[in-house]
Amino acid sequence: AQRRKRVGGHPTRSGAMEKPPQAVAKVAVDSMDKLHGDTNFATLAEHSWNIFRYVGDYLHLFGILVLLGTIGKNKSVAGISRSTQFLYFLVFITRYLDLFDHSQTAYLVFFKLTYIGTSILVLGLFMQFDSTYERRNDTCNLGVILVPCVIAAFVLTNEYSFMEILWTFSEFIEGFAM
């Protein structure tokens, strides 16, 4: 273990102020710090978040493209839940209204508009291929999901503004869409 020298407390022979020995804190050193030196977790978390965010965004985009490709190839929406697609549309349209609220990077604008646009496109494909939609298998009751989520959004929001209530609503809806 290493000791950090703290300034302040009682004067030493050299005239510097130093804490009494019992107030000196021990700094925990883990095995990674022993091998690689001190770790700045704030910097590590900042970079890790970006990596996970980018990977997640591109995997999500890939999944959407696979969905659109499958619908296009089969000319059918059989086996796909329209209720789930509608819930995702609600998530994207309510969460990404902040596009109109403040300026954002081109990356965020691209992905937000892509998610909104592709969810509208998927719902449009459900209308186009309505004869292949299997209603009997899509048994989700949207009212049972939407009403409690609306109530929860009003009760549990951090701030009573239009945008914040819609953001909170989108967080509740996303759990059901997944």
Side-chain angles (χ1 to χ4, degrees):
Q2 299 173 354
R3 290 188 178 265
R4 283 193 185 163
K5 184 177 179 182
R6 297 196 179 190
V7 178
H10 64 281
T12 62
R13 290 184 189 176
S14 65
M17 300 295 283
E18 187 174 44
K19 291 265 186 201
Q22 68 270 16
V24 176
K26 290 185 178 182
V27 177
V29 178
D30 64 10
S31 59
M32 292 304 288
D33 285 343
K34 287 178 184 174
L35 289 173
H36 304 289
D38 289 338
T39 304
N40 184 344
F41 288 106
T43 304
L44 180 64
E46 179 181 317
H47 294 294
S48 298
W49 164 247
N50 287 337
I51 291 169
F52 288 120
R53 179 182 191 153
Y54 296 142
V55 169
D57 285 344
Y58 285 106
L59 284 173
H60 188 184
L61 182 60
F62 177 73
I64 291 170
L65 294 176
V66 168
L67 175 66
L68 291 171
T70 301
I71 293 172
K73 178 182 166 240
N74 297 336
K75 306 260 189 267
S76 170
V77 291
I80 302 169
S81 169
R82 182 171 59 189
S83 299
T84 299
Q85 300 308 314
F86 181 72
L87 290 174
Y88 272 118
F89 167 74
L90 285 179
V91 168
F92 298 142
I93 204 74
T94 55
R95 182 168 300 169
Y96 298 148
L97 284 176
D98 66 344
L99 285 168
F100 304 111
D101 189 39
H102 59 278
S103 64
Q104 299 175 30
T105 65
Y107 175 86
L108 286 176
V109 171
F110 169 77
F111 273 96
K112 288 178 179 185
L113 290 176
T114 300
Y115 294 155
I116 291 169
T118 54
S119 66
I120 292 170
L121 179 59
V122 169
L123 290 174
L125 290 171
F126 267 92
M127 290 171 47
Q128 181 179 350
F129 299 120
D130 188 57
S131 62
T132 65
Y133 173 53
E134 300 170 337
R135 285 176 182 76
R136 67 186 176 283
N137 294 334
D138 198 359
T139 59
C140 179
N141 184 345
L142 290 176
V144 172
I145 294 172
L146 295 177
V147 171
C149 287
V150 167
I151 293 169
F154 277 101
V155 172
L156 300 173
T157 190
N158 290 332
E159 173 185 317
Y160 286 97
S161 68
F162 180 71
M163 299 291 276
E164 188 66 27
I165 290 170
L166 288 177
W167 179 274
T168 306
F169 173 75
S170 76
E171 289 180 319
F172 288 117
I173 290 294
E174 186 174 25
F176 288 100
M178 285 193 228

